[in-house]
Amino acid sequence: MPPSSSVLPPISWLFLREPSPALLPLEPLCKVSGRDQKNHGRIISYEAKMVSDNSAMNDETKKLSNIMILEPKSKILKNKEMTAFYAECRQRQICLNASIWTKSNFSGMSVGVNMIGEVSLFLGEHGEQYDFTLPAAYARSIISIPWIELGGKVNINCPSTGYLANIIFHTKPFYGGKVNQVTAEVKNETGAIISRVQGEWNNHFEFTYGNGETKTVYVDELPVCKKRVRPLSKQEKMESRKLWYNVTHALREEINYLLLRPKRIREEKPTTKGSYPCGSTRCSTCGIHLPATSFNSKVTKLEYKIPGYYNCKTNNLIYQLQCKSCDAEYIGLTTGSLRQRMNNHRFDTNHKDPDKPVPIHAGTHNQDFQTCYTTKILREFPKQCNSSQLRQWKLAHQWITKSRLPPGLNRRNLFLPNRMSGVPICVLAIYLEVLTELRQQQQGEYSEFWESSRARDKVKEGFDTQTNLCRDRGLNLGPPAQKSDTLPLDSRCIAIIFVGAVLLVTGVGQAVNAPTETFKNMKLAELKASLSTEKL
DNA sequence: GGCGGAACATCGTTTGAGAG
DNA sequence: CTCTCAAACGATGTTCCGCC
């Protein structure tokens, strides 16, 4: 067989990957991390015979499929999580030797996975070896309906003959374009192009040879070899189906959170600021911690960017628990890690603590903590922040997300804390707006609340003590905010000051049962002064 | 088998609200 | 202003599990 004939089957083989939905995580045949004790550095030996019982296959396919044996690859890299396998067809003297590991990175709504490793196909009959590189895989729209595509350049090289194939997997352009497009050029040892390939790797592709002949391959028409594996009961702990039993079970039962637990891709630092799962194998919080780059305010109807890179291990933070089944949410604060706090909530929920809002709400849906909630980190605080400051910022976040109003899960009281120094005027305006809505919702119930001089005085006290505070720093701590998209609750909150002003001036403030005229005028002047100093 | 990290379980402390 | 109570969080010890 001339090299020009033998170089093409490996290319076909590379293309003929079954397109798969984006539901399953990467499945290793053998997951290797460190040294396996019993085998002294070797991967445990597994055997999976693939026997075809498809009578429609041609003889060559039968020969190949009947004796395909998967064995472990002896060479491993320490401290790398990698997929490694060796497969051979002894009758036809074909063997495949492969080791693959991944580097992944987040970029907004998608995850890119670079497949790094070696794939070598050896054809004993011809004494030729073909070395493959692999395309990158991209999981797009990971927060909505995920889908997968391949991208990047791949080379197939045959050192003994000098033949070379350059393959390009084209990613879909942002606007228009087609998915799964692939092109390739096959060159001989002199560099002359002997064949071109074009098509869709999951549908059909066309080979155009040097003499003008063409050949089209349709993926759907290719014979399918039915895979046979050992029964689950006979598989060892690290065999593929045993290892991935939980994932398979969860898919069948639609238990979403179980899908996120086992063998997660290790994440590099994401490129976009936001709240991300840590990727630790045993971290239960990752199961409810979906990647997020922003959160919404039900008061301002605006979306606020999360201002840093956070994960389950982040300390000193304000977090949000969002019910998957309804609009209920909970804003909490912890000086420990998100993971520690979620463990406490999980414990309370498992024990159906009747005194705590998070377990009570999960109980109303008859769900456990993992099933009921998702979480995200809204903000991390520097360690030098004292507890008083932290509480104020928690309150501020509770107000702008309305988590203190139904159906929010935080406590219902709406009194201002005793010490309000440091809380920006815009946050107080938000507070007024929330209070107004509550008053409109619960006309009778809250009139008594507001009529009590104590409640009214509290608000007045809150405004009185914030003179010369904050200079409208929004929810940003530290130095005065710069005007930037990455500083979330800053100039946008000025709009809320308008709301507060309108409430006070137009008499809508009457809905909260009327601060006094003097109080209104005083606060309006203050609000105007703030606005005049703010560059919108 | 030892070590370290994560989860689990429990209890103590802090804080805020209400009442007097 | 003080006391009481409950919500919320933190701290700590134990258990489990994966890795070396």
Side-chain angles (χ1 to χ4, degrees), chain A residues 322-328 361-362 364-368 371-374:
Chain A
Q322 176 72 51
C323 178
K324 294 181 195 172
S325 307
C326 64
D327 290 335
H361 182 77
T364 63
H365 294 302
N366 199 25
Q367 291 175 333
D368 62 22
T371 313
C372 188
Y373 295 106
T374 61

Side-chain angles (χ1 to χ4, degrees), chain A residues 44-196:
Chain A
I44 303 167
S45 177
Y46 304 125
E47 188 176 280
K49 290 185 178 177
M50 300 169 66
V51 180
S52 168
D53 43 19
N54 186 341
S55 58
M57 284 193 306
N58 61 37
D59 290 342
E60 285 193 0
T61 311
K62 279 184 181 175
K63 280 180 191 172
L64 182 67
S65 59
N66 278 347
I67 50 172
M68 187 72 90
I69 296 175
L70 295 180
E71 287 181 350
K73 190 173 187 300
S74 59
K75 178 185 171 187
I76 65 169
L77 295 175
K78 259 192 169 182
N79 301 321
K80 290 275 186 188
E81 287 188 11
M82 58 184 290
T83 296
F85 67 92
Y86 171 80
E88 70 175 22
C89 172
R90 287 174 187 164
Q91 189 175 344
R92 299 192 58 187
Q93 299 180 45
I94 297 173
C95 63
L96 185 71
N97 208 5
S99 60
I100 305 167
W101 69 95
T102 59
K103 281 181 74 176
S104 59
N105 61 293
F106 275 104
S107 56
M109 295 283 285
S110 67
V111 181
V113 181
N114 293 317
M115 311 282 270
I116 305 165
E118 307 161 359
V119 180
S120 297
L121 177 68
F122 183 73
L123 306 176
E125 289 180 358
H126 308 289
E128 295 168 359
Q129 178 173 319
Y130 294 89
D131 298 324
F132 295 72
T133 59
L134 294 164
Y138 298 95
R140 309 292 192 194
S141 306
I142 54 176
I143 296 178
S144 55
I145 301 172
W147 57 281
I148 280 181
E149 67 173 345
L150 300 177
K153 295 179 180 177
V154 170
N155 296 322
I156 301 178
N157 184 26
C158 179
S160 58
T161 64
Y163 276 64
L164 177 69
N166 298 318
I167 304 163
I168 301 174
F169 289 83
H170 300 271
T171 55
K172 182 182 178 299
F174 194 80
Y175 291 107
K178 294 181 178 178
V179 296
N180 303 331
Q181 296 294 305
V182 63
T183 58
E185 290 179 348
V186 186
K187 298 177 181 175
N188 62 17
E189 71 277 14
T190 64
I193 296 174
I194 61 166
S195 179
R196 295 179 193 273

